[in-house]
Amino acid sequence: MRDISPLQTRFVSLMESIARAEGISPNAGKILGFLMMQEEPVPFSELACRLKISRGSVSENTCLLIDQGIIRRVHIPGRRGDAFEVRQDASTALLERRRRMTLEVIADLKEMWGELPEASFQRERMQGLEQFLSASLIAADVLAEQITAQKDSQTEKKNT
């Protein structure tokens, strides 16, 4: 097995930081980052070895990423054990996760408004946050449309 390149190391570290900021296990971010940099599926044991994380953490975090629809388990002919790769629709799954989380926060904010006086600075601030979050949903919708259009274009090119 070869070592991880400096660029891969930086990308894995970036994804680890993003995962931490998103409230996801940093090791899930490391696994996703590593898999994103690989063209072929990566065996379970190689993830543990190359990322220097326990087999238990690889198991737990690959299950999490599979449940989120971001990676998938595959079989490599002639090899024992599981291997993993990033799903083609991982971006869509990540956007959908973000959308669900944002909608939950907006619902919580609106519920809290009911406990505040009409003319209060807290309510005004919560409304400002709700407007920001609503705008982020619109941006996510635009991005989802762009991803779909790009996939459709790639499929069209393959069929011609």
Side-chain angles (χ1 to χ4, degrees), residues 10-131:
R10 285 178 49 209
F11 187 72
V12 167
S13 179
L14 174 66
M15 294 303 291
E16 178 183 16
S17 296
I18 291 170
R20 187 176 282 114
E22 290 286 323
I24 300 171
S25 162
N27 282 340
K30 288 171 78 170
I31 291 167
L32 178 57
F34 185 76
L35 291 175
M36 288 178 73
M37 296 295 283
Q38 306 305 309
E39 190 170 4
E40 301 295 324
V42 179
F44 177 97
S45 59
E46 189 174 336
L47 285 172
C49 182
R50 303 245 335 249
L51 296 173
K52 297 175 177 52
I53 57 179
S54 72
R55 294 176 65 81
S57 185
V58 171
S59 178
E60 179 181 330
N61 288 291
T62 53
C63 285
L64 170 77
L65 292 167
I66 289 168
D67 289 346
Q68 295 281 328
I70 299 167
I71 69 170
R72 67 186 187 128
R73 184 176 280 118
V74 297
H75 175 73
I76 300 174
R79 292 195 70 159
R80 291 180 5 157
D82 293 329
F84 303 92
E85 66 183 2
V86 176
R87 292 176 53 116
Q88 292 296 320
D89 59 350
S91 297
T92 304
L94 288 167
L95 275 172
E96 189 52 40
R97 178 183 183 279
R98 165 61 59 202
R99 173 176 262 299
R100 282 191 313 271
M101 290 173 54
T102 302
L103 287 170
E104 288 172 14
V105 171
I106 289 171
D108 287 345
L109 286 171
K110 288 182 176 181
E111 183 180 311
M112 287 183 240
W113 289 347
E115 299 175 27
L116 294 169
E118 279 288 325
S120 68
F121 74 92
Q122 295 100 339
R123 187 178 186 132
E124 188 176 308
R125 288 178 182 171
M126 285 184 189
Q127 286 173 327
L129 178 59
E130 188 270 339
Q131 288 171 342

